[in-house]
Amino acid sequence: MSSTLRIENLHVAVDGKEILKGVDLTIRQGEVHALMGPNGSGKSTLAYALVGHPKYEVTEGRILLDGEDLTSLDPCERARRGLFLAFQYPVTIPGVRVADFLRHAVSNIRNPDRKEGEELIPMREFRKELRHWMQELGMDPSFATRYLNDGFSGGEKKRMEILQLAMLHPKFAILDETDSGLDSDAVRVVSEGLRKLAGPDMGVLIITHHERLLEMNPPQFVHVMLAGRIVETGDAALAHELHEKGYEPVRQRHPDIAAEETAEQAATAGAE
Amino acid sequence: MSTGSATEISIPPVYRAFLRDAFEAFLAERDEPDWLIDRRRRAFDCFEQSLTQPLEPEEWKRLDLRLFHTLRFTPPVRDRSGLVTQVDTMLATRTEFGASVSHTDGTAGPSGTRELPAGVVFCPLTEAVRVHEDIVREHLMTRAVLPDTDRFSAWHAAFWNGGVLLYVPRGVVLDRPLHSVLGSSAADAADFAHTLVVLDEGASATLLEETASLNAEGSALHVGAVELLVGRGAHLRYVQIQNWNERTWHFAHQAGRVEQDGFLQWTVGGLGARFAHIHQTVSLDGRGAGAEVNGVSFATGRRTLSYYTQQTHCAASTRSDLLYKSVLRDRSRVVWRGMIRVEPEAQQTDGYQRCDALLLSPESRMDAIPGLEIEADDVRCTHGATVGRVDDEQLFYCMTRGLTQHEAMHLIVSGFFQSVFDRIPVTEVREAFDDAVVQKLGLGD
């Protein structure tokens, strides 16, 4: 049976300030959705809230995975149920080798009931799979023994996120600006990687400013976010329009929300 | 400076059981050669005198001994036979040792000695005084730890009991590690174990030593010393893991001397004790001598772990490399005061020291004070110290990959220790430390 991720009337606050003001979105396995919108519209907030960042407080609404409300679960439990976020800015963990980190992650995701200290996925099987995906993603085998993201370039970090996506094979993947800050070669590698991975058993939410990632992974649905709400949903044509004309036409079509956006920006600027 | 006599009034209670009468009673119980008794007497005079002197401010000003001064311990007794039992230790069952010696409250227990190569001596130090008198007489507190250094060295030199001698003759290479356990069992007992290692020219050996409390509750005192004498071209790996119970007070002078082209790889582990202070000196005495000093500490509860380290370069083309890593949780405290000293003749010296700490709780505290004293002009000396906290974003990231918070913490802490673990050549020691990390992270959960 195909899984569904349903976001209902989601309100999220950070440090007491409401960022998301009622987001509704449904993603089914096998679908590719794009989420676009100007800076500060709440795209990354939605990504963090979905995977359970403790600073992102859900004040109203629900996140349902096949009917189960995830909002009270911690990030580890959500990951084990099949949610994955490719980070815009992945952290560095000095001293922890990529292979060791991934072996723990893979063991937990594939065996969601696993307790700490219980058996890990067999080394042979794991190594074989890791080597396979590193090759597919054009990564040097030496990455496996490097410390996680320690000294990695921007492109290497993003590729590491895609490698994790490949190894963990979630039901739903959220990619937070995976294409930002990359040169065109790196964008191509990441886009091709995603194309190989996404299939009928993965739902994908691509957060992006740009169109590049979408060219190789054409979305069936494109959503536009403005001031904490999804204001429009369309198909790939909407992404083209945004790419060519920017967000002004969207603002003109939604003057009330655009005004709210302006007021918020003024308030933020005033506070600084 | 005060030169008054050691009156009852000025001496804190903790020392009162170790004054003249007690010392004479201690000596009377021992059947030792005159030279040793003379040395003990001279050391005792030093000790008595030292009680009226303040401790070196730079070494002690960050530490609080007020609580210690009120405690009462009893001097070591000659024989506690019958008390010796199997000590449950971190390393004992992990590998096969070339030989093993254990002590409980200063009394040697059964030793698991295999056939060692001819001329190698590995035995309780008290036995060595009888059987290998010349070696002990030549090296015991004559070159590395000197009795008159301070109160604790003098106290130890007067009252030492227990500990081991490892002597490896010229050119002999020991493949298997040797093992020494210092155990404590009696409540309020004082332990004065001494470790003496002498490697002749071209010899090579590994000694793993650990401390353990048989009794988890009883308070105890350890005033110890470690002397590591590495001859020309010799190679010594020495590990000491301090894992006393949380009511033990541990004071130790530990000194290594390395001759020409010799190499000392020294690892100090600090896991237990209520309070531990180690005065650690490594001296590069001959051209081309080298030393690597590794420190691994995991402080929990209310304990204080303190290290006062000195790397002394006395000859040209010598190398020293110190890396201390500490993780602190609860209300624990770690103090590290490090010094690299380069004598005028020690040109082309390469000295390095680094101390990193990771704080797991807001109430824990780390003091890291590096220092350099350089009297030669053609040297390379660098130092650094960092204090960080576990980053919530790191924990969150790991959790989004399916790791529990505890598992994430373990991974991050192990990662923090990785660079020092990479320098510990003995797998079993790395494993023991990692198990200790798991256990310490679990405390209080």
Side-chain angles (χ1 to χ4, degrees), chain A residues 53 75-76 79-80 84-85 92-96 104-105 108 114 116 147 161 164, chain B residues 393-394 396-404 406-407 410-412 415-416 418 422:
Chain A
H53 193 298
C76 159
R80 291 184 187 205
F84 177 88
L85 171 64
T92 296
I93 307 185
V96 177
H104 279 86
N108 287 338
R114 180 180 175 272
E116 185 181 357
Y147 297 150
E161 295 295 290
Q164 295 184 40
Chain B
E393 297 302 318
Q394 288 177 326
F396 169 64
Y397 184 89
C398 292
M399 289 176 78
T400 67
R401 300 316 187 228
L403 276 66
T404 61
H406 189 270
E407 200 173 17
H410 178 205
L411 210 65
I412 291 165
F416 171 79
Q418 191 63 48
D422 283 346

Side-chain angles (χ1 to χ4, degrees), chain B residues 50 81 97 101 108 140 177 199-200 232 238 244 288 290 325 344 346 350 365 373 381 387-388 422 439:
Chain B
S50 75
S81 51
F97 294 104
V101 172
L140 182 73
L199 261 56
D200 270 357
R232 280 188 169 213
Y238 174 73
W244 301 116
K325 291 225 168 212
D350 187 348
R365 175 172 163 182
E373 279 176 5
C381 286
V387 179
D422 283 346
Q439 191 243 328

Side-chain angles (χ1 to χ4, degrees), chain B residues 225-245:
Chain B
V226 172
E227 300 188 279
L228 309 173
L229 302 168
V230 182
R232 280 188 169 213
H235 192 131
L236 173 65
R237 285 164 298 266
Y238 174 73
V239 177
Q240 191 189 58
I241 304 176
Q242 179 275 106
N243 194 25
W244 301 116
N245 72 14

